[in-house]
């Protein structure tokens, strides 16, 4: 397990020109070890810039990114070593597939790590199985697969490096509900199997509510919220102030609460159903 | 990765505002003249004309110098060739090579011609956006349509190519980041290894270029694009009084410089 910590991270695009833009403004937080954290915010709020600092694709202008208490830019083994520990899955990762076979593509990361052929083989098969890519697909060209399969192969390509921190930037964008749920379930499974820390960047409040235990909220380059789901999405949520919404079902329950019904905050449809059934049986709603 | 193409410096000077067709025609005339001038006086007047336009356009001098700098080596090489391989009166001799007075003049002429050529063409691309240049080219070549040259299609292809340069360069940056996140290493290793390291970038880039081309083609079909149909444009190019003035003025001035100075003896 690894502890990822961000201290007063600031990033300015095109510094000193007319186009200067403060993409990150003194952002600080710690990712809970082994936890599942959701990162939400509007387009352009700095989410993508932030995650690219976490594995050293971008170098902080000010502030630090610490992995197990050590600045990632001062570690022995260089920044490449950090990228194997902090896995980053980009948006639309299927567009980076390039190998002749699915197997070779998933093996790209582990091979770059310098693992032995045996270890690479084991990691590839494990990662493929985890994302539901059957053995029969490993020999196929990744370009023959369906969109959802390609996405899962690309995610497996990062998981095969077995990073202890896994960051996913909008991994479910453009997928149907079943595909979304499949991928997020697989990410959960990876977290439990490896004891890994997960950071999920998402536009879907429902996805975040269902899977994350903590939520980070970015707005105009600032970290404006950092707390457990119950706090950020709770009845007195401040998300509305920055134009973000709580999950729909939470919003409905908030309305019920305001009209005087004895309901407590819920974040998933299942929890809502359970609570309503309980209330109906107890005669709480009449 | 930084792809600098389309070095347009937006501005509002007279040079910027002049009709791109006028600029293109005058540019061609200017280049033709550069190769016909045979006297220093001609170069002096052409240089003065160029300096006037540079001053008016407010293009920073460092930008022009940057264009010239890249050609210093070629300039040096060609002028040395000219200096030593032109027959004439001996200037000095090193080893078995003889420099001549005629060679010296030829070398100076080459330097003047090439540098003025570079500055002149840079001025055109610095003050005219690529899209305007393409439009101007299409309009100027329009008569060739009679000869069944597909001018409109060629211009459309150029426009699309120019439009997609920034898109693909952004895409390249994204793919590079994604492969770096998987431990790809582009900076170390032998030349061979580095070339191999490009495969994970080039394959996805090509795939994405073809996908975009396909999507664009479908989108154009959906809007009933037909290359044979005449198209109107949002910003119609219109010659203004100033454009006619500049065009006529220069059409008189440039040949006058040529004919006037070539008869002189310096």
């Amino acid at each position: 397990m690894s502890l990822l910590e961000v201290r007063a991270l600031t990033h300015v695009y095109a510094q000193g020109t007319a186009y200067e833009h403060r993409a990150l403004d003194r952002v600080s937080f710690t990712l809970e070890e082994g936890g599942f954290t959701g990162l939400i915010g509007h387009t352009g709020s700095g989410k993508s810039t932030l995650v690219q600092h976490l594995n050293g694709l971008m170098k902080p202008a000010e502030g630090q990114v610490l992995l197990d208490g050590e600045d990632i830019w001062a570690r022995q083994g260089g920044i490449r070593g950090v990228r194997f520990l902090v896995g980053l899955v980009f948006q639309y990762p299927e567009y980076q597939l390039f190998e002749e076979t699915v197997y070779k593509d998933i093996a790209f990361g582990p091979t770059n790590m310098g693992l032995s052929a045996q270890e690479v083989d084991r990691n590839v098969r494990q990662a493929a199985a985890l994302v539901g890519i059957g053995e029969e697909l490993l020999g196929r060209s990744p370009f023959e697969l369906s969109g959802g399969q390609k996405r899962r192969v690309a995610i497996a390509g990062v998981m095969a490096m077995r990073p202890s921190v896994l960051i996913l930037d909008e991994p479910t964008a453009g997928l149907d509900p079943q595909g979304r749920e499949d991928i997020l379930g697989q990410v959960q499974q990876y977290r439990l199997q490896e004891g890994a820390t997960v950071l999920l960047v998402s536009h879907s409040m429902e996805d975040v509510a269902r899977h994350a235990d903590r939520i980070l909220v970015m707005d105009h380059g600032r970290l404006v919220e950092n707390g457990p789901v119950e706090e950020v999405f709770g009845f007195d949520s401040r998300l509305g102030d920055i134009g973000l919404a709580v999950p729909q079902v939470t919003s409905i329950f908030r309305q019920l609460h305001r009209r005087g019904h004895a309901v407590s905050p819920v974040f998933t449809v299942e929890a809502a159903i359970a609570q309503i059934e309980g209330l109906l049986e107890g005669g709480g709603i009449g | 990765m930084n792809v600098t193409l389309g070095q347009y410096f937006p501005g509002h000077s007279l040079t910027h505002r002049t009709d791109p067709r006028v600029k293109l025609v005058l540019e061609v005339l200017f280049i033709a003249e550069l190769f016909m001038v045979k006297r220093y006086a001609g170069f002096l007047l052409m240089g003065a004309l160029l300096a006037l336009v540079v001053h008016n356009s407010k293009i920073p001098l460092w930008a022009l110098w940057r264009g010239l700098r890249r050609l210093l080596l070629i300039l040096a090489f060609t002028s040395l060739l000219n200096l030593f391989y032109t027959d004439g009166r001996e200037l000095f001799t090193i080893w078995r090579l003889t420099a001549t007075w005629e060679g010296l003049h030829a070398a100076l002429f080459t330097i003047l011609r090439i540098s003025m050529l570079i500055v002149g063409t840079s001025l055109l691309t610095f003050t005219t956006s690529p899209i305007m240049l393409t439009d101007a080219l299409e309009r100027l070549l329009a008569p060739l349509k009679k000869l069944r040259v597909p001018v409109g299609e060629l211009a459309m292809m150029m426009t699309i190519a120019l439009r997609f340069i920034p898109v693909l360069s952004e895409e390249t940056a994204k793919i590079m980041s994604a492969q770096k996140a998987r431990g790809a290493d582009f900076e170390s290793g032998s030349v061979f290894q580095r070339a191999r390291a490009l495969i994970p970038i080039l394959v996805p880039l090509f795939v994405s270029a073809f996908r975009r081309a396909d999507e664009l083609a479908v989108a154009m079909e959906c809007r009933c694009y037909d290359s044979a149909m005449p198209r109107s444009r949002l910003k119609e190019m219109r010659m203004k009084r100033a454009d006619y003035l500049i065009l006529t003025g220069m059409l008189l001035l440039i040949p006058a410089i040529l004919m006037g100075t070539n008869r002189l003896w310096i």
Side-chain angles (χ1 to χ4, degrees):
Chain A
M1 259 191 249
S2 293
L3 187 72
L4 194 67
E5 194 186 343
V6 172
R7 276 196 204 150
L9 188 60
T10 297
H11 183 81
V12 185
Y13 279 110
Q15 193 150 25
T17 70
Y19 304 102
E20 186 173 300
H21 170 62
R22 198 163 274 263
L24 292 176
D25 193 1
R26 284 160 291 155
V27 174
S28 300
F29 63 87
T30 305
L31 282 189
E32 205 175 300
E33 277 189 85
F36 197 127
T37 308
L39 172 59
I40 58 179
H42 285 292
T43 313
S45 61
K47 293 171 296 178
S48 293
T49 312
L50 174 61
V51 295
Q52 289 190 55
H53 278 90
L54 300 184
N55 74 340
L57 283 173
M58 293 176 111
K59 198 167 183 173
E62 284 168 50
Q64 282 181 305
V65 179
L66 305 170
L67 189 61
D68 292 324
E70 236 187 312
D71 191 315
I72 59 167
W73 287 94
R75 283 173 60 98
Q76 273 200 322
I79 203 68
R80 262 180 93 208
V82 172
R83 294 181 188 145
F84 301 133
L85 290 170
V86 182
L88 173 58
V89 178
F90 271 82
Q91 245 178 64
Y92 298 102
E94 59 272 29
Y95 294 152
Q96 42 166 289
L97 298 173
F98 68 98
E99 273 290 8
E100 294 154 58
T101 67
V102 170
Y103 182 94
K104 280 192 191 170
D105 211 291
I106 300 178
F108 182 65
T111 310
N112 284 333
M113 290 171 79
L115 297 180
S116 71
Q118 261 175 325
E119 283 171 303
V120 170
D121 186 67
R122 196 193 56 216
N123 284 7
V124 169
R125 287 178 197 282
Q126 236 172 40
L130 187 63
V131 298
I133 295 293
E135 292 271 330
E136 74 283 359
L137 293 178
L138 291 181
R140 294 261 290 275
S141 159
F143 299 105
E144 292 170 6
L145 305 181
S146 74
Q149 283 172 327
K150 277 186 201 165
R151 176 84 51 99
R152 281 182 282 139
V153 168
I155 293 174
V158 174
M159 285 179 173
M161 303 191 296
R162 302 183 65 189
S164 50
V165 179
L166 180 63
I167 304 170
L168 303 106
D169 193 353
E170 296 271 357
T172 56
L175 294 183
D176 58 75
Q178 185 59 48
R180 302 173 80 92
E181 222 13 68
D182 284 351
I183 284 184
L184 292 175
Q186 288 150 3
V187 170
Q188 273 290 16
Q189 208 187 331
Y190 175 83
R191 179 177 73 103
L192 298 173
Q193 249 174 41
E194 301 280 324
T197 306
V198 169
L199 178 66
L200 172 76
V201 181
S202 182
H203 268 113
S204 160
M205 301 302 154
E206 275 72 19
D207 286 355
V208 171
R210 183 181 292 274
H211 295 279
D213 23 71
R214 287 185 72 87
I215 299 180
L216 302 171
V217 184
M218 296 280 299
D219 185 44
H220 292 105
R222 290 208 186 84
L223 185 68
V224 290
E225 296 267 2
N226 175 9
V229 175
E230 299 75 35
E231 201 181 295
V232 178
F233 283 165
F235 281 163
D236 44 348
S237 163
R238 290 181 301 263
L239 285 185
D241 302 344
I242 57 168
L244 290 171
V246 297
Q248 279 184 359
V249 63
T250 311
S251 162
I252 293 169
F253 266 57
R254 180 152 68 175
Q255 295 288 328
L256 288 173
H257 177 74
R258 284 198 183 145
R259 291 184 188 185
H261 296 289
V263 292
S264 52
V266 292
F267 312 107
T268 62
V269 176
E270 288 81 356
I273 293 170
Q275 205 179 117
I276 290 173
E277 278 175 351
L279 285 171
L280 287 175
E281 276 165 30
I285 293 180
Chain B
M1 187 171 273
N2 187 17
V3 185
T4 26
L5 228 155
Q7 324 138 303
Y8 179 52
F9 282 78
H12 298 285
S13 71
L14 181 64
T15 320
H16 281 87
R17 282 179 288 130
T18 304
D19 191 293
R21 285 169 292 180
V22 172
K23 284 196 263 188
L24 206 57
V25 168
L26 292 180
E27 181 77 41
V28 173
L29 197 66
F30 178 79
I31 292 170
E33 169 129 344
L34 273 182
F35 285 92
M36 291 192 285
V37 168
K38 291 190 186 75
R39 301 281 180 255
Y40 288 111
F43 281 113
L44 193 71
L45 288 175
M46 300 276 285
L49 190 64
L50 201 56
L52 201 70
V53 182
V54 170
H55 176 75
N56 172 269
S57 68
K58 296 195 180 65
I59 296 293
L61 290 176
W62 60 259
L64 294 169
W65 167 241
R66 212 174 44 182
L68 270 179
R69 205 178 46 189
R70 272 179 261 169
L71 282 150
L72 278 184
L73 202 70
I74 298 177
L75 273 180
F77 185 67
T78 45
S79 26
L80 279 180
L81 278 185
N82 271 315
L83 183 62
F84 289 108
Y85 284 93
T86 313
D87 291 329
R89 289 168 297 138
E90 181 181 331
L91 184 62
F92 60 85
T93 305
I94 312 171
W95 189 46
R96 262 187 270 164
L97 293 171
T98 308
T100 59
W101 281 102
E102 282 72 15
L104 182 65
H105 290 309
L108 282 173
F109 276 12
T110 313
I111 292 173
L112 284 169
R113 275 188 184 126
I114 297 185
S115 34
M116 280 164 79
L117 176 81
I118 300 301
V119 172
T121 44
S122 305
L123 266 181
L124 180 68
T125 52
F126 283 159
T127 62
T128 322
S129 75
I131 294 295
M132 280 170 79
L133 266 184
T134 317
D135 277 357
L137 208 59
E138 181 182 359
R139 294 287 293 270
L140 285 174
L141 296 180
L144 290 180
K145 282 178 191 164
K146 298 248 156 58
L147 300 172
R148 299 194 177 214
V149 177
V151 175
E153 285 88 329
L154 288 174
M156 178 59 88
M157 277 161 63
M158 256 174 84
T159 310
I160 292 174
L162 288 169
R163 168 67 186 76
F164 274 88
I165 287 170
V167 174
L168 288 178
S169 96
E170 196 179 305
E171 184 100 9
T172 313
K174 243 187 229 165
I175 295 170
M176 273 179 92
S177 292
Q179 306 301 24
K180 271 191 199 162
R182 296 207 280 163
D185 184 5
F186 307 118
E187 277 111 39
S188 58
S190 66
V191 180
F192 183 68
Q193 277 167 326
R194 281 192 212 193
R196 263 191 74 87
L198 289 180
I199 295 175
I201 302 172
L202 291 180
V203 173
L205 194 61
F206 273 111
V207 171
S208 122
F210 280 110
R211 181 175 47 85
R212 281 181 200 282
D214 194 39
E215 281 168 6
L216 183 67
V218 171
M220 285 168 86
E221 290 263 298
C222 287
R223 296 185 207 177
C224 304
Y225 175 82
D226 178 353
S227 57
M229 295 294 277
R231 255 179 307 287
S232 61
R233 33 189 92 241
L234 180 63
K235 285 183 191 155
E236 199 68 55
M237 259 187 244
R238 241 185 226 125
M239 294 278 286
K240 292 183 292 283
R241 240 173 81 95
D243 294 319
Y244 283 116
L245 270 173
I246 291 170
L247 184 65
T248 347
M250 291 294 169
L251 281 181
L252 292 173
L253 185 61
I254 294 177
I257 291 176
L258 181 69
M259 287 188 277
T261 57
N262 272 2
R263 283 183 206 171
L264 297 174
W265 59 273
I266 49 161

